[in-house]
Amino acid sequence: MPYRAPVRDIRFILDHVVGFAQVSATPRFAEATPDMAEAILTEAGRIATGILAPLNRAGDQHPARLENGAVVSSPGFAEGYRAIATGGWVGMAASPDHGGMGLPISLALGVDDMMSGACLALQLKPLLSKGQIEALEHHASDDMKALYLPKLTSGEWSGTMNLTEPQAGSDVGALRSKAEPLGDGTYAVTGQKIYITWGDSDLVSNVCHLVLARLPDGAEGTKGISLFMVPKFIPDAAGQPGQRNSLRVVSLEHKLGIHGSPTCVMQFEGAKGWLVGAPHKGMAAMFTMMNNARLSVAAQGVGVAEAALQHALAYAGDRHQGATPLSPDGAIIDHADVRRMLALMRAEVFAARSIALSCAVAIDMATATGSADWQARAALLTPIAKAHGTDIGCEVAHLGVQIHGGMGFVEETGAAQFSRDARITPIYEGTNGIQAMDLVARKMADGGEAAFRLIDEVQRDAEAARPALPDLAGDVWQAAKALREATEGLLAQPLNDRFAGAVPYLRGFARILGGHAHLKAAVADPTREPLARVMIRRIMPEHLALFAQGREGAAGLYALTHEDFAA
Amino acid sequence: MPYRAPVRDIRFILDHVVGFAQVSATPRFAEATPDMAEAILTEAGRIATGILAPLNRAGDQHPARLENGAVVSSPGFAEGYRAIATGGWVGMAASPDHGGMGLPISLALGVDDMMSGACLALQLKPLLSKGQIEALEHHASDDMKALYLPKLTSGEWSGTMNLTEPQAGSDVGALRSKAEPLGDGTYAVTGQKIYITWGDSDLVSNVCHLVLARLPDGAEGTKGISLFMVPKFIPDAAGQPGQRNSLRVVSLEHKLGIHGSPTCVMQFEGAKGWLVGAPHKGMAAMFTMMNNARLSVAAQGVGVAEAALQHALAYAGDRHQGATPLSPDGAIIDHADVRRMLALMRAEVFAARSIALSCAVAIDMATATGSADWQARAALLTPIAKAHGTDIGCEVAHLGVQIHGGMGFVEETGAAQFSRDARITPIYEGTNGIQAMDLVARKMADGGEAAFRLIDEVQRDAEAARPALPDLAGDVWQAAKALREATEGLLAQPLNDRFAGAVPYLRGFARILGGHAHLKAAVADPTREPLARVMIRRIMPEHLALFAQGREGAAGLYALTHEDFAA
């Protein structure tokens, strides 16, 4: 069965789980009516299903390649990209001032989910442009906006993010790239950057690199870093691609997955660049871009999980292996253990999708209302959505392979590709360890206020659900109580103890949010109760062990000598 | 850092955790003294480290290929195989009657662990021969033994297992291959078999296929299946490879991992075969072979996990990213979350290795003493060792990639290969779902007697450990109590409810056995206490959620309609 975009699920979550109606009710997003949302998601789903999904295998089997220093895309990617660009999907959340549609992130995230489920390797290309558009909207001068934003928004040009260097990964502050002022307001940017997604492309007429580099008077560490726009072709007076800039693709990485997405080593050799934002304030500008990119990566995890689930579901409905409890010649979906796996997968996808969309609603509400509470909610949920959504992407794809049995290990079926593709998502845009540290440190710098407010909400919703679903509501209420205690315990810990328990704490937090989302779904639509029961009764109890691990702190880990790690 | 065989860890577990001394104390294995064990493991470790491990990347990058119908092995595999064969490692547990060394499975399993950690794709080749040797020892006629066993044992010839057909995977009884009597005591075997590991080879002078097929009077299902020896070259009067048999490799699978291991589609076209064992009793014969093969696959999971851990450990010791809590320019191993991952990995490898070796000791004791209790212990532990060891293989390799960050997703580092290679182990030799069903059905057919006896032992050991390690011993005792209750609950469930909870129950069981192993290790050697604490305090609590899932039964899963699985 080919991929079918989950329009129905996304709409249901928006309407009944994450409160998208609040977004439509704001003046800022008044145009995003339920009808508009339906039209947008249906059309994006049509492109994902009909145009992008058929490219997914080709991208894997015929990776992007480097020819004479230029990237040649996988077969069919040009048509796929054109459908995305001409449909206006790159600029759907971008400001209408420069050609965007100004739609809520909640809808854009649903589109990310569907397009990444259809073809992750290609979806990465517009994703990077969207991040760049956002960074420029917030930090670029009016001239730069006028020059770049319309072309990025239309998809005629595309954008990249250049952060990582061989010695500077999670520790961005260790970067060595330099920018020398040329005296005319421009800069000569020099350095090597790695892991540059879609660092070159034959699908657009210009590739715009946002590059982190240090000015001569920049301090060491992250405080001395500035952000530069360094286009592949320097725009001429008419704003068209002109002279070739001094930058090149050195090589492409040979990767486990997303073969259709060229991952470039970039060399900048005195390339002409323009400062974006204030000198030495590059990290702040980059963070604007990264925060929403992190949420988009959550949608990638969910999207690939959805695709892997659909693939496994089709196989399990077709494959017959002996009598099942339901019939003498039924399909393997009716064997208890296969059902268990599929039920876990569906419950996980629904939960992770709900968490990501609730983060998107918080962003939209913060944008629309300026409310600090919504801002804090969005900030709190971003690392949870990213880390949990991408972990689930890997886990669901893993189960998808397992359901295929031997066929899952054979590349021809495509089950393994989802597993390989998903594997990057817990790593890029800040590893999931970094996300968890962000959660327990920066996002708890408010004394846990945003977290406790969310826990209050979960418990209020559980109270409200109690008459209809007493046992499930009771379980969610109790789990929220455990989350409250775990959060209080965390706040009492020194920072490195928090870090030692950050990953299990984050996952436990996500377990309760998943139970909460399923409970709301079952209240809104009683036919969803069986799935909610799978989440709340079979998956959510995991929080007990996770919070136990979280409580352990760091001392036990540092009691191990380096020798203790060796066999 | 290149792979270094974990001789020390295996010896420690044999001596202090799983009671190998009992094996040495039997007349049957009197030769397997501690000195002999050390010599064997040290020598196997030397080959694994020095000869096999350097082949692992070549096997991945230059897969086995088919040329003119014959398999051409990966570069260096000929030398690697020769070292295994000439060292006598194929026949180390085989009977001395036909050239074997007659050593305990406990030692052979340690060797499997090290050689599969070094190069899984190549280790599979002798592994299949070992299974075949065992099946022939138990079921073949004396003539067949005399003809085949010496050559298989010396590694001059190799063996394969031919079970699966496109429509007959987990449901072996659905196979369609036929065997027609030729009137001279031989049979014409016809059919297509898939997933035939090392189905052809340029490393040996003959490939001996054990093929499941149905005689003309064979009943439907598993009861009508017979086992045949079908050699690639029919032995001549002198026992040398003679006339070419009517069988061929149709194609090799393009797989996610173990690229150096050719996975063949085999076509038998009236190939000459000899019946092994009684007519229609092929499944029983195959099960002899499969049970120990399942345990060997457990060692593969552990072995790859070990290799992935060593690889990640080396990276984490070299890679510097910012100040750690221990120093301003420390390696990432000193960041709490990286330590957490490495500590979990090491604790998991030790636990899974201990479970596999304790199963091997039970097999040896059953062989040496004929005791039904030891037999039942071995039968109980086999599915746990296989499913848990291979799950841990995948999970540890996944964490290994994560520790590498972006470098983990780039194939050049080799971290991803462990993850790809390990992925087959939860699938072959009976998927882990099948293992779990075996545990909760066949292995509980004794009313749980073997399980309760093991739980008693865990609690006795916990009592004995209480003076030295009161909190850890208490935790293990309590967890064993929870396992007892979960087992009682399971036994009260109808079969399909057991199946619905089989996988979480098995994992929960393994969690307690892991805690038990670490507790014994810490009692024997106090320097191992910190690692035991990681297992018991951070990992073992997972059983709470697992047993909760196990209790849920099947009804909730069957309450989901097929539509409920779709988004």
Side-chain angles (χ1 to χ4, degrees), chain A residues 164-345:
Chain A
T164 305
E165 300 180 9
Q167 78 293 345
S170 297
D171 183 15
V172 182
L175 69 78
R176 294 186 192 138
S177 291
K178 288 183 186 332
E180 300 274 345
L182 293 174
D184 61 353
T186 69
Y187 298 82
V189 176
T190 300
Q192 187 175 86
K193 295 286 183 177
I194 61 172
Y195 303 149
I196 309 309
T197 299
W198 284 96
D200 190 45
S201 166
D202 53 354
L203 309 178
V204 290
S205 59
N206 204 359
V207 180
C208 306
H209 302 285
L210 279 183
V211 183
L212 286 182
R214 213 180 298 275
L215 289 166
D217 61 341
E220 288 208 353
T222 53
K223 289 184 166 53
I225 296 175
S226 306
L227 182 65
F228 299 88
M229 165 61 79
V230 186
K232 175 179 176 184
F233 295 104
I234 297 168
D236 62 19
Q240 296 303 312
Q243 199 189 332
R244 184 74 160 79
N245 211 342
S246 309
L247 58 93
R248 64 194 170 87
V249 180
V250 177
S251 60
L252 302 189
E253 303 292 355
H254 174 56
K255 307 188 302 296
L256 176 61
I258 53 167
H259 294 164
S261 169
T263 303
C264 303
V265 176
M266 301 294 304
Q267 190 74 40
F268 297 89
E269 291 161 335
K272 201 177 194 57
W274 284 261
L275 187 66
V276 180
H280 316 313
K281 299 293 180 196
M283 283 303 286
M286 210 43 136
F287 262 113
T288 310
M289 188 163 166
M290 271 200 298
N291 255 324
N292 288 3
R294 285 175 172 185
L295 181 55
S296 295
V297 172
Q300 293 185 331
V302 173
V304 177
E306 171 71 44
L309 165 57
Q310 290 189 17
H311 200 267
L313 187 61
Y315 183 81
D318 279 347
R319 174 79 173 166
H320 294 247
Q321 284 295 279
T324 76
L326 299 187
S327 85
D329 61 349
I332 61 171
I333 185 176
D334 292 333
H335 284 300
D337 186 56
V338 176
R339 274 199 161 237
R340 183 190 62 84
M341 288 190 275
L342 288 167
L344 296 184
M345 292 161 83

Side-chain angles (χ1 to χ4, degrees), chain B residues 44-211:
Chain B
R46 197 188 60 76
I47 292 174
T49 301
I51 300 179
L52 305 183
L55 305 174
N56 198 40
R57 296 291 294 142
D60 192 55
Q61 290 163 339
H62 307 284
R65 62 188 200 278
L66 196 62
E67 270 186 17
N68 303 319
V71 164
V72 180
S73 301
S74 299
F77 273 34
E79 291 73 24
Y81 180 70
R82 202 174 309 129
I84 295 170
T86 59
W89 300 105
V90 182
M92 73 173 282
S95 164
D97 297 347
H98 300 285
M101 289 200 252
L103 287 166
I105 298 285
S106 325
L107 295 183
L109 199 75
V111 175
D112 284 343
D113 178 336
M114 295 190 285
M115 292 194 177
S116 54
C119 185
L120 181 61
L122 178 54
Q123 185 263 353
L124 273 161
K125 185 169 175 59
L127 187 70
L128 270 289
S129 296
K130 284 160 72 172
Q132 181 162 117
I133 289 167
E134 208 184 336
L136 295 181
E137 283 180 350
H138 283 88
H139 302 284
S141 67
D142 288 344
D143 284 355
M144 191 182 282
K145 286 184 193 171
L147 178 55
Y148 287 92
L149 284 176
K151 294 226 166 37
L152 288 165
T153 302
S154 69
E156 195 178 332
W157 296 0
S158 66
T160 74
M161 291 168 71
N162 289 245
L163 287 81
T164 305
E165 300 180 9
Q167 78 293 344
S170 297
D171 183 16
V172 182
L175 68 79
R176 294 184 193 139
S177 290
K178 287 183 189 331
E180 300 274 347
L182 293 173
D184 61 352
T186 69
Y187 297 82
V189 176
T190 301
Q192 187 174 87
K193 295 287 183 177
I194 61 172
Y195 303 147
I196 310 309
T197 298
W198 284 95
D200 189 46
S201 166
D202 54 353
L203 308 179
V204 290
S205 59
N206 205 0
V207 180
C208 306
H209 303 285
L210 278 183
V211 183

Side-chain angles (χ1 to χ4, degrees), chain B residues 209-225:
Chain B
H209 303 285
L210 278 183
V211 183
L212 287 183
R214 212 180 297 276
L215 289 165
D217 60 341
E220 290 206 353
T222 52
K223 289 184 169 52
I225 296 175

Side-chain angles (χ1 to χ4, degrees), chain A residues 407-428:
Chain A
M407 296 294 280
F409 197 65
V410 169
E411 288 283 4
E412 274 73 6
T413 57
Q417 185 191 339
F418 297 120
S419 198
R420 290 187 287 98
D421 286 354
R423 189 64 191 87
I424 187 60
T425 61
I427 294 173
Y428 63 19

Side-chain angles (χ1 to χ4, degrees), chain A residues 166-167 169 171 195 254 256 319 321 334 339 346 398 402 407 409 411 423 426 538 553 557-558 565 567, chain B residues 166-167 169 171 195 254 256 319 321-322 334 339 346 398 402 407 409 411 423 426 538 553 557-558 565:
Chain A
Q167 78 293 345
D171 183 15
Y195 303 149
H254 174 56
L256 176 61
R319 174 79 173 166
Q321 284 295 279
D334 292 333
R339 274 199 161 237
R346 171 53 65 210
H398 180 91
Q402 192 66 20
M407 296 294 280
F409 197 65
E411 288 283 4
R423 189 64 191 87
R538 292 175 199 260
L557 301 176
Y558 290 86
F565 291 103
Chain B
Q167 78 293 344
D171 183 16
Y195 303 147
H254 174 56
L256 176 61
R319 174 80 173 164
Q321 285 294 281
D334 292 333
R339 275 197 159 238
R346 172 51 68 208
H398 180 92
Q402 192 66 22
M407 295 294 280
F409 197 65
E411 288 283 2
R423 188 64 191 86
R538 293 174 199 257
L557 300 176
Y558 289 89
F565 291 103

